[in-house]
Amino acid sequence: RIVSLEYLKYPPASCVSKYGRANFNNQSRFYATFNPISAINEMKPEIGDLITETTWKLKTEKKLIVVPIFFITSGDNGETHNALSINYKIEYDKMIRTYPKEEYLQYNELLNFVSECFAKDVDYGNTYDYFLSAFFSNRIFNEINKGQVEAIVYPRESETLGFSNIVIKPNVFDDKYELFEINEKIVKNTKPCWYLEPTGYTKNVKDNVIIW
């Protein structure tokens, strides 16, 4: 059972030795999803594993500066659609039409390529498959608007792009988010669908120690 809240946030940069979807080596990021099943599908736990799930919320007085990766709005040959990406794409199409055609076609080509990098299928264990998306995320976080970007939202490749992940700078996460609740569950079944049995619940944390 996890009792220290730090293990449910982001790793120290010194412990990050592999490329991630949105990080280089030695770059710490907070990765999260809007759908708990997305996290389970990515982590691939086995029967008997204990799962600890935290829910965080943006502080009411805070806003988040987000860059969305949205140009590819569907996967699985068009059978799966990402509602968040579609909404971003609709607003983008309204805005970009105010630019000269020759200019917005170049933007379209660039954004489509960046989206393809983030949607790239990755061989399990081959972190170099993340190099291009890590490269662009590094530029987005550290160069666009002089490093003021705080988070990136992108469709999840492993779920045919139907759901999205969010990745946040650690200092931004600490400043702008607060814990809502913690759920603990044990994996009872993985096929034909996930079945997790609750084993613990709390909202009580004191000095970063979880009080179950």
Side-chain angles (χ1 to χ4, degrees), residues 19-21 23-24 117 120 122 126-137:
Y19 291 110
R21 184 70 71 175
N23 68 272
F24 276 144
C117 293
K120 184 179 185 296
V122 174
N126 183 9
T127 61
Y128 286 99
D129 274 352
Y130 289 128
F131 179 80
L132 287 174
S133 62
F135 170 81
F136 282 116
S137 69

Side-chain angles (χ1 to χ4, degrees), residues 7 10 21 32 38 47 63 73-74 89 97 150 155 169 179 187 190 198 205 208:
Y7 293 119
Y10 48 81
R21 184 70 71 175
S38 295
I47 293 176
K63 294 182 179 180
T73 60
S74 63
K89 185 68 162 53
R97 295 296 176 179
E150 298 173 328
K169 290 178 175 177
L179 181 69
V187 180
T190 60
V205 176
N208 285 319

Side-chain angles (χ1 to χ4, degrees), residues 27 36 45 54 58 70 78 90 94 102 129 152 161 168 186 193 196 200 202-203:
Q27 284 183 339
T54 52
L58 199 64
F70 62 90
I90 290 172
K94 292 178 183 176
E102 294 78 11
D129 274 352
I152 298 173
L161 310 180
I168 307 171
I186 190 169
C193 60
L196 283 73
T202 186
K203 288 188 173 185

Side-chain angles (χ1 to χ4, degrees), residues 40-174:
I40 294 172
N41 286 334
E42 184 166 326
M43 299 306 295
K44 299 177 175 62
E46 299 178 353
I47 293 176
D49 284 350
L50 202 61
I51 304 298
T52 308
E53 170 194 312
T54 52
T55 303
W56 303 81
K57 63 180 182 179
L58 199 64
K59 295 176 182 177
T60 54
E61 75 277 11
K62 301 291 186 178
K63 294 182 179 180
L64 198 63
I65 302 173
V66 178
V67 165
I69 307 298
F70 62 90
F71 226 70
I72 300 176
T73 60
S74 63
D76 199 20
N77 295 319
E79 295 184 10
T80 304
H81 300 279
N82 187 300
L84 190 58
S85 293
I86 290 173
N87 288 336
Y88 279 127
K89 185 68 162 53
I90 290 172
E91 294 304 315
Y92 169 82
D93 286 340
K94 292 178 183 176
M95 180 273 298
I96 201 64
R97 295 296 176 179
T98 63
Y99 287 70
K101 182 177 180 180
E102 294 78 11
E103 186 174 350
Y104 77 66
L105 289 178
Q106 295 299 314
Y107 282 124
N108 288 355
E109 188 171 342
L110 173 61
L111 292 175
N112 187 68
F113 177 67
V114 173
S115 295
E116 287 179 351
C117 293
F118 273 84
K120 184 179 185 296
D121 188 16
V122 174
D123 290 333
Y124 188 75
N126 183 9
T127 61
Y128 286 99
D129 274 352
Y130 289 128
F131 179 80
L132 287 174
S133 62
F135 170 81
F136 282 116
S137 69
N138 185 65
R139 297 287 297 272
I140 291 169
F141 276 131
N142 297 314
E143 296 184 26
I144 290 180
N145 290 348
K146 298 180 179 180
Q148 293 182 3
V149 173
E150 298 173 328
I152 298 173
V153 173
Y154 61 93
R156 284 181 44 77
E157 171 274 323
S158 62
E159 292 180 306
T160 59
L161 310 180
F163 295 99
S164 295
N165 279 359
I166 184 170
V167 55
I168 307 171
K169 290 178 175 177
N171 63 315
V172 172
F173 178 75
D174 288 337

Side-chain angles (χ1 to χ4, degrees), residues 168-186:
I168 307 171
K169 290 178 175 177
N171 63 315
V172 172
F173 178 75
D174 288 337
D175 177 54
K176 296 192 173 184
Y177 279 84
E178 58 187 2
L179 181 69
F180 179 69
E181 63 181 10
I182 307 175
N183 282 282
E184 184 189 74
K185 304 171 185 177
I186 190 169

